[in-house]
Amino acid sequence: MSVPGYRDIPGQQWDPHLSVDPREAEDFLEQYYRENPQRGDLRERLARITDEIAETGTYAHTHAELVFGCRVAWRNASRCIGRLYWRSLVVRDLRKIVAPDEIFEELVRHLRLAGQRERNVIRPVISVFAQHVPGRDNSRLWNEQLIRYAGHRHTDGPHAGTIVGDPRYTQFTETLQQYGWRGKPDNPFDVLPIAIEGPGGDVNLYDLPESAVWEVPIEHPTLRWFAELGLRWHAVPAIANMRLTIGGVDYPLAPFNGWYMGTEIGARNLADADRYNLLPVIAERMGLDTSTERSLWRDGALLELNRAVLWSFDQAGARISDHHSESERFLAHIASEERAGRETPADWSWIVPPMSGAATGVFHRYYHEADQRPAFYLDTDARELGRRGRSPIVPQVPDEPTACPFHESEPAAAGEHRGWFGRLFHRT
């Protein structure tokens, strides 16, 4: 089946110059009133928005419509395994906030609301800023996520020839440095600033306060040397560069978060060969035989890294799910949706966890593949900005694989990337 957006099949490109399609608005309103019959007269509402579209090219959602649309967009997110909780999404209506400084202040509030360390709470939150109006430019956020770690490329000194931090964001880091940001080049977990581009094209960089960045030190319940690696990861995964579309109305700036599934950190971010590449380091410290793949040293190291992530988050009181429990919850979500008379769109290649897939219930079935709206979309320009930014000097558009919107890592490269951790702990 060839469904746009599935298995790298391109979806229809967004044209910001087009007016809202009245048919899409009607489809959404019919769904809204069908699932919320107490809301009143659908025909009267349709008549008003038809006039609004004819006059302005778009229309404004009521607050209740916006909340419903955001939650259903999560319900329709085909690459997300955690949709059982879609009704609990906290929707922040910030449509009147347009200035970059004010946007940044609200992003900080978002992170503090989503991750409350003092209460050991992580809750799903979306902050919806101004809707797109045909012919009018919006402020935009470059970052893929609100919290990400820099990749500092060292050309001299003790780390010459290595990347300190996350290699995924090396080009993004270098672009921000062209705008004056320096960061902490020797810190492998150096939080990137927020880059907000105003409607006029001016780029503003903002450092997140420490109080807004909940980080968890990664240790292990039995391998005491794990703490010596100095690992940590942030607790709130807030995707920031996807466009939310509800009833034909687009919201280019609508960052949202849930909470982590452990494998996103332990089997991808910290393990992928083109990310932190920690499996060789851990295997060596464990004394595993890395001379042959038949020893399954990668599997052994991967298991202990994922145990460390889950245990550390539990110790810190930071909510995180394991891939076995979340798989069962997703199947419960499908059953709940079936009882409501709805099909659940899902992409098998993203729903099945990146480790122990066949040991989970989500592996052993097929799914409904469909592009259902309301929805989130990752546009080509937003994807490129999230990976590279836009240089104020010379555009940098090297040939490189693209990122995926609902996971934090793209597929690992064929060869190992020997970054800072690899140089520190490997004999060369």
Side-chain angles (χ1 to χ4, degrees):
M1 180 182 294
S2 297
V3 179
Y6 285 78
R7 299 188 180 92
D8 298 324
I9 300 170
Q12 183 177 357
Q13 291 299 305
W14 177 47
D15 187 344
H17 303 290
L18 292 181
S19 298
V20 169
D21 184 348
R23 293 171 298 180
E24 189 168 347
E26 182 177 354
D27 288 345
F28 168 69
L29 266 297
E30 287 177 347
Q31 180 183 18
Y32 173 69
Y33 279 82
R34 184 170 59 251
E35 296 191 33
N36 300 274
Q38 74 281 8
R39 289 298 178 182
D41 189 354
L42 169 61
R43 291 172 298 179
E44 180 181 339
R45 177 65 175 138
L46 284 175
R48 288 202 304 271
I49 68 168
T50 299
D51 291 342
E52 210 174 331
I53 293 171
E55 182 178 346
T56 67
T58 187
Y59 69 100
H61 291 121
T62 66
H63 177 75
E65 290 167 357
L66 180 69
V67 171
F68 175 78
C70 290
R71 290 174 176 170
V72 174
W74 185 12
R75 189 175 80 191
N76 289 337
S78 61
R79 291 178 170 178
C80 178
I81 196 174
R83 284 175 273 167
L84 178 64
Y85 316 97
W86 66 273
R87 293 181 181 85
S88 67
L89 180 65
V90 176
V91 179
R92 305 178 70 226
D93 187 348
L94 303 173
R95 286 177 287 178
K96 294 182 180 179
I97 304 297
V98 294
D101 287 355
E102 295 177 340
I103 290 173
F104 174 70
E105 290 176 2
E106 292 298 341
L107 296 179
V108 171
R109 290 190 182 99
H110 178 126
L111 288 171
R112 287 174 174 158
L113 175 64
Q116 299 178 28
R117 272 176 279 196
E118 68 281 359
R119 298 175 57 202
N120 291 342
V121 168
I122 295 179
R123 63 177 64 182
V125 177
I126 184 168
S127 295
V128 184
F129 293 89
Q131 72 182 69
H132 174 71
V133 176
R136 185 186 304 172
D137 291 329
N138 293 72
S139 292
R140 65 189 307 170
L141 191 64
W142 284 8
N143 305 63
E144 277 191 331
Q145 293 200 26
L146 296 183
I147 303 172
R148 271 325 208 194
Y149 297 119
H152 293 285
R153 191 192 310 271
H154 284 243
T155 56
D156 53 22
H159 303 314
T162 66
I163 293 171
V164 174
D166 193 341
R168 178 182 178 88
Y169 296 103
T170 301
Q171 291 185 349
F172 191 76
T173 301
E174 291 173 347
T175 297
L176 298 188
Q177 289 171 342
Q178 293 178 36
Y179 286 89
W181 185 73
R182 288 294 171 263
K184 302 173 182 177
D186 293 327
N187 182 357
F189 299 99
D190 187 17
V191 177
L192 285 163
I194 298 294
I196 301 176
E197 182 179 339
D202 294 334
V203 179
N204 302 272
L205 303 186
Y206 305 88
D207 285 312
L208 287 166
E210 290 185 9
S211 61
V213 182
W214 184 358
E215 291 184 293
V216 176
I218 306 299
E219 301 180 5
H220 193 280
T222 59
L223 302 176
R224 299 306 176 192
W225 51 260
F226 226 93
E228 299 172 9
L229 300 180
L231 307 179
R232 63 178 184 266
W233 204 259
H234 57 93
V236 179
I239 296 174
N241 65 341
M242 298 190 76
R243 171 174 53 90
L244 168 66
T245 181
I246 302 173
V249 177
D250 293 295
Y251 298 92
L253 183 48
F256 61 94
N257 73 274
W259 52 84
Y260 272 114
M261 186 164 74
T263 51
E264 293 180 275
I265 303 170
R268 301 305 311 276
N269 296 332
L270 294 177
D272 278 355
D274 57 348
R275 298 292 297 286
Y276 280 84
N277 192 30
L278 283 168
L279 297 187
V281 175
I282 294 169
E284 183 173 330
R285 295 296 293 265
M286 291 175 64
L288 301 179
D289 178 9
T290 60
S291 66
T292 172
E293 295 296 344
R294 297 182 71 83
S295 70
L296 301 183
W297 63 268
R298 297 183 196 274
D299 306 71
L302 186 67
L303 174 61
E304 297 308 328
L305 177 54
N306 279 271
R307 283 186 65 201
V309 168
L310 292 173
W311 185 82
S312 299
F313 270 64
D314 287 343
Q315 293 296 109
R319 187 172 188 175
I320 194 170
S321 60
D322 66 87
H323 49 292
H324 295 285
S325 299
E326 207 58 60
S327 295
E328 293 306 310
R329 291 174 188 139
F330 183 67
L331 295 178
H333 169 67
I334 292 176
S336 175
E337 289 297 290
E338 287 177 349
R339 289 192 295 271
R342 296 187 293 261
E343 289 190 288
T344 302
D347 186 335
W348 186 96
S349 63
W350 288 89
I351 295 300
V352 174
M355 69 175 289
S356 306
T360 65
V362 295
F363 179 91
H364 303 279
R365 57 165 296 156
Y366 295 103
Y367 296 97
H368 175 60
E369 295 190 357
D371 179 15
Q372 295 181 183
R373 298 188 178 187
F376 295 97
Y377 294 96
L378 181 60
D379 298 315
T380 300
D381 190 37
R383 180 192 292 120
E384 295 303 309
L385 285 174
R387 292 300 305 278
R388 302 176 177 87
R390 182 163 40 243
S391 172
I393 303 171
V394 179
Q396 300 179 13
V397 190
D399 185 14
E400 184 177 328
T402 56
C404 298
F406 280 96
H407 276 259
E408 298 165 315
S409 312
E410 59 192 332
E416 290 186 358
H417 171 87
R418 182 154 295 185
W420 182 77
F421 279 104
R423 293 290 177 125
L424 182 62
F425 293 108
H426 272 70
R427 300 183 182 89
T428 57

